[in-house]
Amino acid sequence: MFKVLLADDEPIITKGLSAILDWEDYGFEIVHTAESGEEALSYIKENPIDILISDILMGEMSGLDLIQEVKSIRSDTKSIVLTGYQEFDYIKRGLLLGIENYLVKPVDEEELLKTLQSVGQKLKVATAGSQTKDSTTMLDNTLWGFLTGEVSQHDCLERLALYNIEFNKPFYNVSILNIEHFQQSEVVNHIRHYIETQYAAVCLHNPNQEIIIIFDGSSEEELIKQNQRLVTDLCNEQKRIGLFYLAMGKPVQMLDELNESFTMARDCSAMQLYLEPNVLITDKQALDRHDEQKQQQEFKDCLVKMLMNAEEESLALVDLFFKNLTEKDNLISPQVAKKYTFDLISYIHYSVRPDDLCLYTAVVERIVYSSDIEQMRDILTEYCYELILTVHNHVHLRSPIVQNVLTFIHAHFDQGLSLKTLGQQFHVNAIYLGQLFQKEVGVVFSEYLNRYRLEKAKELLKATHYRAGDIGKKVGYSDTTYFYKQFKKMVGTTPSEWRKI
């Protein structure tokens, strides 16, 4: 349980933060609330904490003064600041102090939770022995959130301005760099610094131990040349970085299309298994390997469905996964196998239990420190077995009301369903039903319905020739634009792109 201290000179703010989340359910404990920087500092001097959440402006000692003092006595404490829109100038000083994120009041519950989960994962990794200190934490979080759709373009540009970073070129592309010696922080930092100083590019280090590169240029040809030149430069650095793959996403002209370039880069990166290292991977190789991609997607979908049904036969699929992995290339490196394992774990997690972070973060940490392919197989098998137990227990512990509601949803998902209509259908208070549903199923009603509809949409995309917009309506989305947005957010690609896989 990570210890959290809340500091704000308005008690209503700390009370609201205390109530906004079930902190202990996510592995955090609020050990103290302070109404001034002085009070917070006095407590921290006597009691170690893991996370400090502080308002920027508080009486004589500001939040930033408090963070600076805390850093001097407990350097491993992570800090998050609360701010108002008019206080962005103060953030620049916060960046120098290494804050994890800033949250604008009134604090959004989802953003707070994501920030805490990210910080919690870093603390766990640090506890396991990682001593990496990254002064660009908030920059990485911002860019990663933007590429994955969790941070809006407006917020992204606003935060990047604090680093004096601007996107003002006609063309961009996202590339993914995997290096063999990714666990050596000095090597990663050296490569990142080299790219950012020698190329028109911004880098970030993502949770999957990859270096994400955002190139900009005056033309598509220039972007291609930059990627090709980087491969040549990396070959010269091979003694230091080991084997590598650079996967290039398509050039785009709009910032809001960067996630499309990122999606293509991920597809290209998946081709590592079939290519020799030290190369630039483009969509040409991805097209050439279309059948392999399709088989991979079918395998992942099959495994997820079996896990959701708590079928122990899914464990045999895990063995098959690693068997195929090694049969494709007897010389496959643990780094490539690790990447594929990361991708599979992420796909399983976000398909089966996206709100249960404990199992997920634990298995990610174990994979990070795994040293051989057999060990990765055992870790993934244990993870899937734990998921089966979790799913099985949830199914058998559900009340008759929730079981009936789930049956009704599965039969009428294409209709206008809400907690209110379901409450009327089953003669139960809608608020109570919502609380009971979340407790027993593990996600809120709207998210469960959304995911179920998207699974049905994926089935129709594969089995029919209906247009994507028509399929959205058939599974219950009256707004086609909303369907496209939700599909891209949950699945990671557009309906049309997914259909081609």
Side-chain angles (χ1 to χ4, degrees):
M1 195 76 70
F2 294 117
K3 298 179 180 180
V4 181
L5 184 146
L6 306 179
D8 197 300
D9 55 4
E10 298 181 58
I12 191 172
I13 299 296
T14 53
K15 288 180 181 178
L17 286 173
S18 299
I20 197 173
L21 292 177
D22 293 325
W23 291 76
E24 294 188 0
D25 288 351
Y26 295 103
F28 302 92
E29 177 189 7
I30 299 176
V31 294
H32 190 70
T33 59
E35 295 184 18
S36 68
E38 292 83 358
E39 180 189 345
L41 184 60
S42 176
Y43 179 88
I44 294 171
K45 284 180 178 179
E46 302 296 328
N47 305 276
I49 65 167
D50 299 298
I51 303 172
L52 168 64
I53 302 179
S54 174
D55 185 22
I56 280 189
L57 300 179
M58 292 188 302
E60 293 184 9
M61 176 179 282
S62 71
L64 296 180
D65 290 336
L66 170 62
I67 292 171
Q68 187 168 358
E69 290 290 334
V70 171
K71 286 290 182 184
S72 68
I73 58 175
R74 302 194 186 279
S75 60
D76 56 346
T77 300
K78 304 293 186 182
S79 300
I80 301 167
V81 297
L82 309 176
T83 180
Y85 284 108
Q86 72 277 16
E87 298 162 5
F88 283 139
D89 287 343
Y90 290 93
I91 300 298
K92 293 181 180 179
R93 181 182 166 201
L95 297 179
L96 299 176
L97 296 173
I99 63 173
E100 297 295 319
N101 199 2
Y102 68 84
L103 304 175
V104 177
K105 298 179 183 179
V107 174
D108 177 76
E109 176 183 349
E110 185 175 353
E111 186 175 8
L112 171 62
L113 178 57
K114 287 177 180 175
T115 300
L116 286 170
Q117 290 174 334
S118 175
V119 173
Q121 187 164 345
K122 292 176 186 175
L123 287 168
K124 286 183 178 180
V125 171
T127 302
S130 172
Q131 301 300 316
T132 302
K133 294 185 178 180
D134 187 359
S135 62
T136 58
T137 299
M138 197 173 81
L139 174 61
D140 285 9
N141 289 345
T142 297
L143 290 171
W144 180 246
F146 178 55
L147 291 177
T148 56
E150 295 178 356
V151 174
S152 70
Q153 180 175 325
H154 175 269
D155 287 348
C156 178
L157 293 177
E158 197 168 57
R159 298 183 187 193
L160 291 180
L162 300 171
Y163 292 89
N164 296 316
I165 294 175
E166 295 182 354
F167 288 115
N168 53 15
K169 293 293 182 66
F171 289 88
Y172 310 92
N173 96 275
V174 179
S175 295
I176 300 175
L177 174 61
N178 286 272
I179 62 173
E180 184 178 3
H181 299 157
F182 72 95
Q183 287 181 310
Q184 299 178 24
S185 58
E186 67 277 7
V187 173
V188 173
N189 292 335
H190 165 73
I191 292 299
R192 178 173 178 166
H193 177 73
Y194 177 81
I195 294 172
E196 291 186 327
T197 55
Q198 300 298 318
Y199 292 83
V202 176
C203 298
L204 67 137
H205 195 207
N206 77 353
N208 293 335
Q209 308 296 322
E210 301 165 323
I211 299 176
I212 309 297
I213 310 166
I214 303 176
F215 288 100
D216 62 41
S218 57
S219 66
E220 293 186 24
E221 291 75 16
E222 183 182 343
L223 293 176
I224 295 171
K225 288 180 180 178
Q226 285 196 73
N227 280 268
Q228 292 172 334
R229 181 163 65 90
L230 179 56
V231 169
T232 302
D233 290 348
L234 292 173
C235 285
N236 295 330
E237 290 275 350
Q238 193 174 337
K239 286 185 179 180
R240 187 168 190 175
I241 68 173
L243 303 176
F244 71 88
Y245 292 89
L246 181 66
M248 178 180 176
K250 70 176 183 180
V252 296
Q253 290 183 275
M254 303 291 290
L255 280 180
D256 57 9
E257 295 175 337
L258 270 181
N259 57 353
E260 295 180 21
S261 183
F262 175 61
T263 299
M264 178 179 284
R266 293 222 50 86
D267 290 342
C268 292
S269 186
M271 293 298 102
Q272 290 181 34
L273 187 60
Y274 310 100
L275 300 171
E276 293 296 321
N278 307 335
V279 295
L280 175 65
I281 309 175
T282 65
D283 60 332
K284 183 180 184 303
Q285 287 96 328
L287 288 173
D288 291 343
R289 300 292 182 173
H290 179 269
D291 289 341
E292 285 91 343
Q293 280 189 298
K294 185 177 181 180
Q295 289 174 6
Q296 282 183 19
Q297 187 62 48
E298 289 173 351
F299 167 81
K300 290 193 289 188
D301 288 341
C302 180
L303 179 58
V304 164
K305 286 182 179 180
M306 293 178 75
L307 288 171
M308 292 181 75
N309 292 325
E311 298 177 25
E312 291 196 23
E313 290 82 354
S314 59
L315 302 182
L317 282 186
V318 173
D319 282 334
L320 180 62
F321 170 77
F322 281 95
K323 182 180 179 181
N324 289 339
L325 206 60
T326 52
E327 283 183 351
K328 293 285 185 182
D329 185 350
N330 292 327
L331 299 177
I332 183 172
S333 70
Q335 166 62 3
V336 174
K338 189 171 292 190
K339 171 186 162 34
Y340 272 82
T341 308
F342 270 132
D343 286 345
L344 182 56
I345 289 171
S346 296
Y347 188 84
I348 292 171
H349 170 69
Y350 287 109
S351 299
V352 181
R353 292 286 301 158
D355 289 331
D356 185 4
L357 200 70
C358 297
L359 281 176
Y360 177 63
T361 53
V363 73
V364 166
E365 289 162 23
R366 293 182 66 192
I367 291 294
V368 166
Y369 293 103
S370 60
S371 56
D372 59 63
I373 297 175
E374 288 297 316
Q375 190 177 20
M376 294 177 210
R377 184 195 63 185
D378 293 341
I379 293 171
L380 183 57
T381 300
E382 290 177 24
Y383 173 62
C384 289
Y385 184 69
E386 290 292 334
L387 277 179
I388 289 171
L389 293 179
T390 302
V391 173
H392 185 272
N393 288 338
H394 279 172
V395 169
H396 289 275
L397 291 176
R398 286 173 187 159
S399 62
I401 292 176
V402 172
Q403 288 282 32
N404 289 335
V405 167
L406 287 171
T407 301
F408 191 85
I409 291 173
H410 297 166
H412 305 281
F413 63 88
D414 57 339
Q415 300 175 15
L417 299 180
S418 67
L419 284 172
K420 183 177 180 181
T421 59
L422 289 171
Q424 293 171 347
Q425 175 75 21
F426 294 100
H427 309 290
V428 62
N429 180 273
I431 296 176
Y432 170 73
L433 177 59
Q435 295 172 341
L436 187 64
F437 189 96
Q438 183 175 5
K439 179 181 178 182
E440 295 189 8
V441 180
V443 295
V444 296
F445 162 76
S446 59
E447 187 171 349
Y448 181 89
L449 176 60
N450 202 29
R451 285 192 208 144
Y452 192 82
R453 284 171 168 170
L454 291 176
E455 284 302 314
K456 291 298 180 181
K458 287 161 70 176
E459 291 176 9
L460 289 174
L461 284 166
K462 291 294 186 183
T464 73
H465 295 289
Y466 291 127
R467 295 193 313 174
D470 293 335
I471 288 177
K473 292 179 180 179
K474 286 182 178 293
V475 298
Y477 292 94
S478 57
D479 186 338
T480 303
T481 302
Y482 183 71
F483 166 64
Y484 277 98
K485 182 178 179 181
Q486 290 301 309
F487 195 98
K488 185 66 179 290
K489 179 180 178 182
M490 293 286 188
V491 183
T493 184
T494 65
S496 299
E497 289 172 342
W498 193 88
R499 175 178 252 162
K500 295 175 184 177
I501 296 177

